[in-house]
Amino acid sequence: MELNKYSKTITQDETQPAAQAMFYGIGLTEEDLGKAQVGVVSMGYDGNTCNMHLNELAKLVKQGVWDNEMVGLTFHTIGVSDGMSNGTPGMRYSLVSRDIIADSIETVCGAQYYDALIAIPGCDKNMPGSIIAMGRLNRPAIMVYGGTIAPGHYKGKDLNIVSAFEALGQKIAGNLDEADFKGIVMNSCPGAGACGGMYTANTMSSAIEALGMSLPYSSSNPALSDAKKEECLNAGKAIRNLMEKDIKPSDIMTRKAFENAVTIIMALGGSTNAVLHIIAMAKSVDVVFTQDDFQMISDKVPVLADLKPSGKYLMEDLHNIGGIPAVMKYLLTQGFLHGDCLTVTGKSVAENLAGVPVLDFDAQKVILPTSHPIKATGHLQILYGNLAEKGSVAKISGKEGELFEGPARVFNGEFELINGINTGKIQPGDVVVITHVGPRGAPGMPEMLKPTSAIIGAGLGNSVALITDGRFSGGTHGFVVGHITPEAFDGGLIGLVQDNDIIEINVATKSMTLKVTEEEIAKRKAAWQRPALKATKGILFKYAKYVKDASEGCVTDE
């Protein structure tokens, strides 16, 4: 096939002299105008460790494209630092950024007629945003993950971004002095790369590698490693191969490929955010994948990775024992993966894994065998009930138990909750309820990492549960349930809970119940009035108007 399938519209059409003139103006030659054009999109910016190095990686990707007789053209899109915006009103923009990223990549590639796309994302929402754009465009595409950060160190302990949040709770509880608090904060992030545990960034990079949209080892190659640089250079050869074979995202992102991605998420103990993102990514290629499909896979796939936030190890440790390919190879031998799915190498999953060394369960303890799993079934559980008629997502590592019942302590937003910790309002046995932080109610569905970290730091992590119509960070652990739908803004029962109401969360029966009489619930519903939107203009206002609920992946283009 002609590699310049799209770009020839403006490079070789005589009715497009202005476009041709501009190409000459940027330095292209007559010969270059006959080559395929590859858009290289970086989410690099200076203000975030996850993204600070991406523009340099993009230069290597661009070089690899030119080295393979194609025209590499760099452009940029936005990023939002979840780590920085967590616990602030700025966190409302985080999930919104996913769709802005998808929209902007689609816009540039659609307008500029690029024949293919290579994306270099860093922080959490960068990755699903990139994949959604690739699905919409359906042109040959590869994602090159920016890579994970190295561990920080302080007083002999390994640190990561969640260490800083939990240190706040320890300080509030009086268990950490100012000097050590400052020491932890200053040393948690030693340089470039995404958050080091199996938080949302590494969850999504691992899932996307398993999906087939990244080259093998992309998700575990550390940010500043020679392996990451080599991967960037190799992306040019790989994208040319995809173009020559006319392999498009829709050929790779099939129903079975998404099952592979979710299987990896379960085996690694990945983030609850993956539920939103996988649903949205699947929609971009017209694959039906629901939160109930997560439950189906969770019921049969064990948690095998002893990774933070619930475990001991970081992504760099996983890289050192063979990365995601080693995990995938083991899961394939155990019958959990579809080996015939196509990938961006042009080969199948099974072909990619054929030469990968097997895991040595005697030499490493990052990944455990299926005979001795961390948890016999998946940690992500989809709960229904009168509190979540359209569903919710619980993250149950196995350490919290499967049943929690207690009186509600209701907070209208996370800032009220922090004050509740400081004043002693929250006691062991309580069910903490954070309302009006959903996709429309916040708007933007912010993560509740600061509240959960503060609860754990205050010593309440094993004795309270927390439920919300907002999201959780991949760094969250404890007995937590998020994505409650309908959200409070839409009249969901979570918005009608009152202090001291009894709430039962039962993982065994996949249910979450407000134990209040039907008569009392009817009375509260009759008195309810929808609140005014908290945003009256700008992107948050537009988002609140268009966003679907959490059970639909919070997409904005339906």
Side-chain angles (χ1 to χ4, degrees):
M1 65 167 294
E2 291 179 299
L3 298 189
N4 57 346
K5 180 177 179 181
Y6 299 100
S7 62
K8 68 180 180 182
T9 301
I10 53 176
T11 58
Q12 295 174 300
D13 186 341
E14 290 183 356
T15 67
Q16 298 292 337
Q20 295 167 8
M22 289 181 179
F23 283 127
Y24 290 129
I26 67 171
L28 297 190
T29 66
E30 187 78 18
E31 181 184 4
D32 292 336
L33 293 189
K35 297 176 181 177
Q37 294 183 359
V38 179
V40 178
V41 58
S42 169
M43 276 132 270
Y45 62 102
D46 291 345
N48 177 16
T49 52
C50 305
N51 296 63
M52 61 187 282
H53 62 305
L54 299 185
N55 290 338
E56 293 303 311
L57 295 184
K59 291 178 182 178
L60 295 174
V61 172
K62 179 180 176 181
Q63 178 186 330
V65 171
W66 279 92
D67 287 347
N68 283 274
E69 297 299 314
M70 297 172 292
V71 174
L73 297 169
T74 305
F75 66 101
H76 300 85
T77 186
I78 68 160
V80 166
S81 170
D82 286 14
M84 290 178 168
S85 60
N86 252 307
T88 76
M91 189 63 204
R92 297 176 300 164
Y93 291 90
S94 169
L95 185 57
V96 176
S97 75
R98 182 195 74 182
D99 291 70
I100 296 174
I101 289 166
D103 293 347
S104 60
I105 294 174
E106 177 195 355
T107 299
V108 173
C109 290
Q112 299 301 124
Y113 289 91
Y114 293 149
D115 300 291
L117 171 67
I118 303 175
I120 305 101
C123 196
D124 298 10
K125 309 309 173 295
N126 300 180
M127 282 163 282
S130 298
I131 296 297
I132 291 168
M134 291 173 183
R136 292 177 186 171
L137 291 162
N138 204 30
R139 300 172 191 178
I142 295 173
M143 191 191 87
V144 176
Y145 177 41
T148 188
I149 195 171
H153 302 283
Y154 181 70
K155 289 190 173 180
K157 292 185 178 180
D158 286 352
L159 302 175
N160 61 89
I161 186 64
V162 177
S163 305
F165 283 100
E166 293 185 357
L168 174 64
Q170 292 175 302
K171 181 183 174 185
I172 290 172
N175 297 324
L176 193 68
D177 63 29
E178 183 65 31
D180 283 338
F181 173 70
K182 191 73 172 178
I184 291 171
V185 170
M186 290 179 67
N187 291 283
S188 288
C189 296
C195 300
M198 192 44 60
Y199 311 143
T200 303
N202 284 327
T203 296
M204 294 313 302
S205 66
S206 301
I208 289 165
E209 183 177 328
L211 182 67
M213 289 300 294
S214 292
L215 294 171
Y217 300 99
S218 179
S219 58
S220 60
N221 285 334
L224 300 181
S225 65
D226 290 339
K228 181 57 66 178
K229 294 175 183 177
E230 183 178 358
E231 176 194 343
C232 290
L233 289 170
N234 289 340
K237 181 178 180 180
I239 199 72
R240 184 180 180 96
N241 181 54
L242 289 177
M243 295 167 74
E244 289 173 346
K245 294 181 176 179
D246 196 25
I247 297 173
K248 299 180 290 294
S250 61
D251 300 315
I252 295 171
M253 292 195 282
T254 63
R255 164 74 193 202
K256 291 199 297 183
F258 279 106
E259 290 180 2
N260 283 350
V262 176
T263 296
I264 279 289
I265 291 166
M266 295 301 173
L268 297 179
S271 167
T272 52
N273 284 311
V275 180
L276 293 174
H277 299 324
I278 291 289
I279 291 171
M281 287 157 51
K283 287 187 174 191
S284 76
V285 285
D286 298 321
V287 170
V288 176
F289 204 93
T290 71
Q291 58 190 7
D292 294 332
D293 292 314
F294 273 81
Q295 187 64 63
M296 178 267 293
I297 295 172
S298 182
D299 287 342
K300 64 183 181 181
V301 177
V303 179
L304 302 178
D306 193 14
L307 294 167
K308 289 182 180 293
S310 298
K312 302 175 185 176
Y313 298 102
L314 296 172
M315 192 64 165
E316 189 171 287
D317 299 307
L318 180 57
H319 172 72
N320 291 335
I321 65 160
I324 295 304
V327 180
M328 289 180 66
K329 180 158 188 169
Y330 180 64
L331 290 171
L332 183 64
T333 64
Q334 298 297 301
F336 290 115
L337 291 183
H338 303 290
D340 59 339
C341 291
L342 189 61
T343 75
V344 291
T345 65
K347 299 177 181 179
S348 69
V349 167
E351 289 171 327
N352 287 344
L353 299 177
V356 172
V358 298
L359 285 170
D360 184 341
F361 294 111
D362 294 324
Q364 60 80 34
K365 299 300 177 187
V366 181
I367 303 295
L368 302 184
T370 55
S371 58
H372 296 86
I374 300 288
K375 188 173 183 289
T377 56
H379 61 300
L380 298 183
Q381 300 289 317
I382 308 302
L383 310 184
Y384 290 90
N386 66 357
L387 268 172
E389 293 179 1
K390 292 188 69 177
S392 62
V393 182
K395 186 177 185 180
I396 307 297
S397 72
K399 299 176 181 178
E400 308 87 354
E402 294 196 333
L403 178 67
F404 197 106
E405 182 174 317
R409 295 289 174 262
V410 183
F411 300 92
N412 187 1
E414 64 179 302
F415 307 109
E416 281 191 8
L417 172 60
I418 298 299
N419 184 61
I421 295 174
N422 288 332
T423 59
K425 180 179 178 180
I426 301 171
Q427 296 296 317
D430 288 346
V431 178
V432 176
V433 183
I434 306 179
T435 70
H436 295 91
V437 287
R440 300 182 67 199
M445 202 180 183
E447 293 178 350
M448 298 293 109
L449 177 59
K450 186 174 181 179
T452 56
S453 298
I455 285 170
I456 288 168
L460 293 166
N462 295 325
S463 58
V464 302
L466 190 153
I467 69 172
T468 180
D469 53 5
R471 296 185 295 122
F472 293 114
S473 162
T476 294
H477 55 116
F479 207 123
V480 296
V481 186
H483 305 198
I484 291 175
T485 310
E487 62 175 290
F489 183 87
D490 289 334
L493 192 56
I494 186 174
L496 305 179
V497 177
Q498 297 178 5
D499 280 348
N500 296 312
D501 286 347
I502 300 300
I503 292 174
E504 179 191 271
I505 307 167
N506 192 326
V507 178
T509 60
K510 308 288 190 292
S511 63
M512 185 165 54
T513 307
L514 178 66
K515 291 191 167 182
V516 173
T517 65
E518 290 297 326
E519 292 77 13
E520 176 62 19
I521 289 174
K523 178 181 176 183
R524 294 182 192 181
K525 285 184 174 181
W528 178 79
Q529 292 184 329
R530 185 189 302 278
L533 280 174
K534 294 178 182 176
T536 57
K537 58 184 177 181
I539 187 62
L540 293 180
F541 175 74
K542 287 193 285 186
Y543 189 81
K545 286 290 188 180
Y546 286 103
V547 68
K548 294 289 186 178
D549 66 38
S551 71
E552 295 292 334
C554 292
V555 296
T556 55
D557 61 341
E558 288 186 347

